[in-house]
Amino acid sequence: MVVQELEKRFWESYGGASEPEICRSPGRVNLIGEHTDYNGLPVLPMAIMQEILIAFRPREDQRVDLRNVDPSFPELRFENGPDIPASPAGEWDNYCKAAIQGLNKHFQVRTFRGMDVMVTSTLPIAAGLSSSSSLVVACALAYARVLGVRLEDDISRLELAEILAEAEHYVGTRGGGMDQAVILNCLQNHACKINFFPLRVEVAPLPADCAVVVCDSMVKVKKSGAALAKYNAGPRSCALACALVEQQLHREFGDGIELNRLGDLWFGPLCLTHAEAAEICEHAIPEPHVTVADAAARLKCTPEQVRTRWLGDLPEPERGFPLQAKLRHQLTEYRRVETARDALLAGDSELFGQLMNASHESCAKDFEISSPELDALVSAARDAGALGARLTGAGFGGATVNLVPKDICGDFIKQVEETYYCGYRNFDGPAPIFVAHASQGAGYL
Ligand code: GLA
């Protein structure tokens, strides 16, 4: 139905003789492993059935024409070329520009082709379900076709995911590679455990006795504006923490050691155990807060250099940056992801749920990415019988993910509807809750 309607809208809008091709790209929900990907630490998401669909057809010139079935997205167009200037933050063509520029650079494209694009979506926007990366992937698949690049023959799904993770930095977020990796590599009925640098994906079956229920907090998180600045605070603080940990490594093992990212403590040549990594981190950051002046003194550079190299425009809190807690989240969340994968393989839903709950606490207290609404929604879900409930995605709003025994799923939804949506939010429309089914990765229809 959606596909037929999309084709119809394409014809009505663009006319022409040749048929458009269609590609699809799912959204994702992250089960556990939050804000760890950009540090090279694993995550455990799944792709969902809600998706973005694109009808596309190559053009004779270099123009990329973007239209959307949803009239709230304005028609936009731009010229393809060696350096595509970004539109103002928040414009939806930036996601397509990011994909095209990423592929142009990777394939050293010299003949810049245009395309006509019509987009439709069943994926809630700005709900923490990765609608932006899904659009990047869909546009990349369309443009790859236009270039004559064949997915899986000329470029592997892993390779494309890596290129697009980097390419999406074009829009201003300093995200890791979780979204693109799961969107391109997931399998039906499975979650994906993803490792980075290099990217590896392994699948694990979802619990047979439970449903994965997604509840939208109804607080929008667009990957632009204030949410972007809040998101980027994670990668920036972790980068500074990483520099301080590297300094500690120099003290303990000599100057030759490089720590490009926190994950290199375990995955690099160092190959530390959890206990060893935790000890190094404790020595590196013995106090809860680190000011720019402290960091400069320790890193033997000026405060100005600390800002330009690591913090960018991140404002300094009065007591300094809470780096110790940020590091603690990274260390504990990594272990939770490993245990959660084992729990899935063992079919242990109870344990998986407990890990989700612990992850939410860590995201809220140590990494500080929750909000009163997310906390209220999580607590409503636990009261309604979820084995595990946590925020999912970048945080600060968006959705929660809940592991709910299948036999109480109906009652669960009813109770959360009453407590959170009607009670807490005073909302009497249909509650934005859905049971998520794990989908296979993006592709052509
Ligand atoms: C966003 C980013 C991801 C990841 C999550 C938080 O979705 O795009 O790379 O960092 O936030 O886990």
Side-chain angles (χ1 to χ4, degrees), residues 46-50 188-189 206 211-212 434-440:
M46 67 187 226
I48 57 179
M49 296 293 179
Q50 285 79 351
Q188 224 165 357
N189 302 327
L206 287 162
V212 173
F434 66 88
V435 175
H437 298 283
S439 142
Q440 71 194 63

Side-chain angles (χ1 to χ4, degrees), residues 327-397:
L327 261 186
R328 187 163 54 234
H329 171 75
Q330 296 298 320
L331 291 156
T332 56
E333 188 77 347
Y334 169 29
R335 299 194 70 165
R336 283 189 287 270
V337 170
E338 296 291 342
T339 317
R341 189 270 319 264
D342 294 346
L344 282 189
L345 294 179
D348 190 342
S349 329
E350 294 267 346
L351 175 58
F352 196 89
Q354 285 160 15
L355 293 161
M356 289 172 76
N357 288 337
S359 169
H360 183 80
E361 268 32 272
S362 180
C363 285
K365 298 208 175 76
D366 282 346
F367 217 67
E368 297 183 282
I369 55 165
S370 191
S371 68
E373 292 84 0
L374 289 168
D375 289 343
L377 189 47
V378 158
S379 110
R382 290 185 192 153
D383 290 346
L387 296 181
R390 59 182 296 277
L391 65 84
T392 182
F396 312 108

Side-chain angles (χ1 to χ4, degrees), residues 371-374 376-377 418-427:
S371 68
E373 292 84 0
L374 289 168
L377 189 47
E418 273 159 30
T419 24
Y420 181 76
Y421 296 99
C422 303
Y424 187 86
R425 301 283 307 195
N426 206 6
F427 175 71

Side-chain angles (χ1 to χ4, degrees), residues 182 262 349 381:
V182 66
L262 286 169
S349 329

Side-chain angles (χ1 to χ4, degrees), residues 28 30 33-38 133 175-179 223 231 393-394:
R28 65 99 186 91
N30 189 18
E34 220 61 86
H35 281 256
T36 50
D37 58 351
Y38 49 75
S133 300
M178 162 169 71
D179 305 343
K223 265 199 186 165
Y231 175 83

